[in-house]
Amino acid sequence: MFLEFFYLLRARGLDVSINEWMTLEEALNKGLAKASLTGFYQLCRSILIKTESDYDKFDQVFAEYFKGVETPDDLPEEFWKWLEESDHERDLDDLGAQELFAMELDELLQMFEERINEQKEKHDGGCYWIGTGGTSPMGRGGYHPSGIRVGGKSRHKTALQVAGERNFKDFREDTILDIRSFQMAFRKLRQYSSRVDGEEKELDIDKTIDETCDNGGMLTLAYEKPRKNTVKVLLLIDSEGSMLPYSRLCNRLFQAVSRSNHFKDLKIYYFHNAIYDQLYTTPHCKIRDSVDTTWVFNRLDSDYKVIFVGDAAMAPSELYRPGGNAIIGLFNRETGMEWFQKFKKRFKKQIWLNPIEKKSWEWTYGAQTIHDIGEVFPMYELTLDGLEKGIKKLLVK
C-alpha cells in the first residue's frame, strides 16, 4: 500500500525503515487514519519521522506525492467561491473586541465542521460564519487570536490551522514549536556543564567502547567524574502590545525553560517593547510587579547567558527618547537603547529571538528598531532552526 510513497520518502533522504512502514500499514488496517488524508498525514509523521528537524522535508515529500488530491476535509466548492468574491479585510491594527478568546485545536476543528454544515451563504465582517474581514475564528482577512485561516495570506501569524489550496502545501509553512522542541534545543546548553572534582563514578559510554575495542572485544568499563550544571540563564520576554499574537508561542517557551533541569540558575523577567528602569515579574507588566533593573544588574554576574524574546518592533521614540516608556506613569531618563547597550557590556553572551519571520524584518512595522536592535544583539528567528542557531551562539567560547 502506497509503496511509491515509501520509495519517494527514502529517495528524498528520509530514513524510513521497513519495520516502521509495516507499523504504519498495521495502523492503517486498524483505521487510525479515519479515512482522511489529514489523518493519514498525521499518522505517517508520528510513525515515520523521528525528529522535528525532518518535519519540513517530510511535508514537502507529502505535498509532492499527494498534490492535487481532494479530501473530505476540504471546504465545499461554494465556500471557495464565496471567499473569492470578497476582498473585505480588516485594518491590521483593528484587533477586534477584547473579549475574543483563544481556542483549543480540537474545539476549533469541531466548530469548523459545524459551520460547514450550517452555513448557506457568503458572509463578511462577522463573528460567527466562515467569511472575510471579521472576528470569526474561521475565515480570512480578519482577526482572531487563534483560528483557522481559510486561504489568503497570513497577516497576524496567529492561526492554529490553515485550510489552503487543498493540496497540503501549507503544511510546509508549519512553524509551530511545541514545548518538547524547545526543551530539545535547550538541552544543548548542557555542553557548558563542567566536571566536578571527586570520584570517577559515571559510566563513560564512548570511552568504554574505545577501550573495549582496544582490548580485543573484552568488555572494559571506563568511568568519568560526574557532570555538574554550571549554566546560568537570564530570560527576558517582551510582553503585551504587538507581542499578543505570539503569546501562545512565548508561553510554550516559558514552560519549556521552567521545566528544564539543565541550568544551575534561571531568572525570568518581562519588559514591554524596550528595557527601562523597571523589569517585571509577570507578563502583565504592572508597576506593582516591577523590580529595579539596576538591582537585577547588581544581583547577577556576567556569566549569565541572556536570551531576549520579542518582536523588537516599536516606535523609534520608545527606543531612543527619554520618556519613551509606553507605560503611563513611568518616565525613563535613560533610553531603551542605552539600557540594551548596558546589557551588551554587562553580560558575556546574549541572543535575541524574534517571532516575526526573518524575511519580513526589513519591511514590517518596526523595521527600523528591529534592524537597530539586531545591530546590538545577534538576532534569530523564533523557529526551531533559529533557536538552535541561537543556542550555538551562546555555546561559542
Side-chain angles (χ1 to χ4, degrees):
M1 187 183 298
F2 297 118
L3 277 180
E4 295 87 352
F5 181 47
F6 170 71
Y7 290 126
L8 184 62
L9 288 168
R10 299 187 66 164
R12 297 293 183 266
L14 288 165
D15 183 19
V16 180
S17 69
I18 295 294
N19 286 339
E20 290 166 342
W21 190 256
M22 296 300 291
T23 300
L24 174 63
E25 290 205 351
E26 182 180 354
L28 288 172
N29 291 333
K30 291 182 178 180
L32 298 185
K34 299 180 180 179
S36 161
L37 190 58
T38 302
F40 180 65
Y41 164 85
Q42 294 169 341
L43 190 64
C44 286
R45 197 176 75 168
S46 64
I47 294 175
L48 305 180
I49 307 304
K50 308 170 185 65
T51 172
E52 292 91 341
S53 61
D54 284 335
Y55 279 2
D56 183 63
K57 185 183 294 184
F58 171 75
D59 292 346
Q60 293 184 49
V61 177
F62 195 94
E64 178 183 350
Y65 186 80
F66 291 100
K67 183 176 182 180
V69 176
E70 295 192 3
T71 80
D73 301 309
D74 291 334
L75 278 175
E77 190 63 32
E78 62 265 30
F79 277 80
W80 294 106
K81 291 180 180 178
W82 294 338
L83 293 170
E84 289 167 1
E85 287 173 0
S86 174
D87 58 358
H88 185 64
E89 285 191 349
R90 299 177 76 87
D91 188 276
L92 276 173
D93 294 328
D94 183 2
L95 301 185
Q98 294 301 310
E99 64 268 15
L100 291 177
F101 58 94
M103 304 177 68
E104 295 301 325
L105 182 57
D106 291 343
E107 176 189 2
L108 187 63
L109 292 175
Q110 179 181 349
M111 185 181 295
F112 189 50
E113 184 176 349
E114 291 172 355
R115 295 295 183 276
I116 291 175
N117 295 328
E118 294 175 7
Q119 189 166 343
K120 304 301 180 184
E121 60 183 0
K122 181 171 77 75
H123 201 84
D124 300 313
C127 61
Y128 186 83
W129 300 112
I130 302 172
T132 62
T135 57
S136 167
M138 292 151 287
R140 67 170 179 239
Y143 173 76
H144 194 281
S146 59
I148 295 176
R149 173 164 58 84
V150 185
K153 297 181 179 180
S154 178
R155 303 167 79 234
H156 295 286
K157 309 295 189 294
T158 60
L160 288 183
Q161 291 276 294
V162 177
E165 297 178 350
R166 296 162 285 176
N167 61 9
F168 282 84
K169 75 173 185 178
D170 285 298
F171 278 120
R172 299 198 301 270
E173 299 170 1
D174 180 9
T175 57
I176 294 176
L177 290 172
D178 58 20
I179 295 173
R180 182 172 178 270
S181 302
F182 283 126
Q183 289 177 319
M184 294 296 290
F186 281 119
R187 283 181 61 183
K188 296 185 178 181
L189 281 174
R190 287 191 302 180
Q191 296 179 34
Y192 261 112
S193 299
S194 62
R195 300 292 178 185
V196 300
D197 294 333
E199 182 182 356
E200 295 181 346
K201 55 183 180 181
E202 284 191 1
L203 182 64
D204 187 331
I205 301 297
D206 292 336
K207 193 173 181 181
T208 293
I209 294 173
D210 291 340
E211 294 194 5
T212 298
C213 292
D214 293 341
N215 198 26
M218 295 293 293
L219 180 62
T220 305
L221 299 178
Y223 294 89
E224 61 184 352
K225 296 178 181 179
R227 186 179 292 275
K228 181 180 179 181
N229 283 342
T230 60
V231 179
K232 295 178 287 187
V233 173
L234 172 59
L235 180 65
L236 298 169
I237 304 176
D238 187 2
S239 183
E240 300 292 319
S242 59
M243 284 296 293
L244 285 176
Y246 312 108
S247 58
R248 188 181 291 260
L249 181 62
C250 291
N251 182 52
R252 294 190 185 106
L253 176 65
F254 171 82
Q255 292 186 57
V257 174
S258 300
R259 296 176 188 177
S260 177
N261 59 358
H262 310 315
F263 311 132
K264 178 181 179 180
D265 190 32
L266 171 66
K267 305 296 183 188
I268 302 176
Y269 295 102
Y270 301 87
F271 63 97
H272 178 56
N273 286 346
I275 289 180
Y276 305 109
D277 300 342
Q278 292 85 19
L279 293 170
Y280 302 90
T281 56
T282 71
H284 305 295
C285 296
K286 301 296 184 182
I287 297 177
R288 64 175 179 272
D289 300 319
S290 64
V291 296
D292 191 88
T293 307
T294 302
W295 177 80
V296 174
F297 259 57
N298 295 334
R299 189 182 177 203
L300 307 181
D301 61 57
S302 61
D303 288 332
Y304 275 81
K305 304 188 189 310
V306 182
I307 302 176
F308 292 92
V309 181
D311 58 10
M314 68 196 82
S317 61
E318 295 181 76
L319 189 61
Y320 288 110
R321 183 179 299 173
N325 193 331
I327 297 179
I328 296 175
L330 295 178
F331 181 88
N332 58 293
R333 297 188 181 280
E334 294 179 281
T335 68
M337 180 56 79
E338 288 174 330
W339 275 111
F340 283 139
Q341 294 287 358
K342 282 187 177 183
F343 272 84
K344 179 75 172 180
K345 295 177 181 178
R346 169 64 173 165
F347 299 99
K348 297 177 181 177
K349 294 292 180 181
Q350 321 89 19
I351 61 171
W352 189 291
L353 301 176
N354 195 323
I356 298 177
E357 292 179 298
K358 186 174 182 179
K359 63 183 180 182
S360 303
W361 290 356
E362 294 183 359
W363 59 264
T364 191
Y365 166 77
Q368 178 183 336
T369 55
I370 292 173
H371 171 270
D372 293 350
I373 292 175
E375 292 289 306
V376 180
F377 305 109
M379 186 176 289
Y380 303 92
E381 190 176 359
L382 187 50
T383 61
L384 185 58
D385 181 61
L387 181 58
E388 290 184 348
K389 289 179 180 178
I391 294 298
K392 287 180 181 178
K393 183 68 175 180
L394 293 176
L395 291 174
V396 175
K397 295 184 178 180

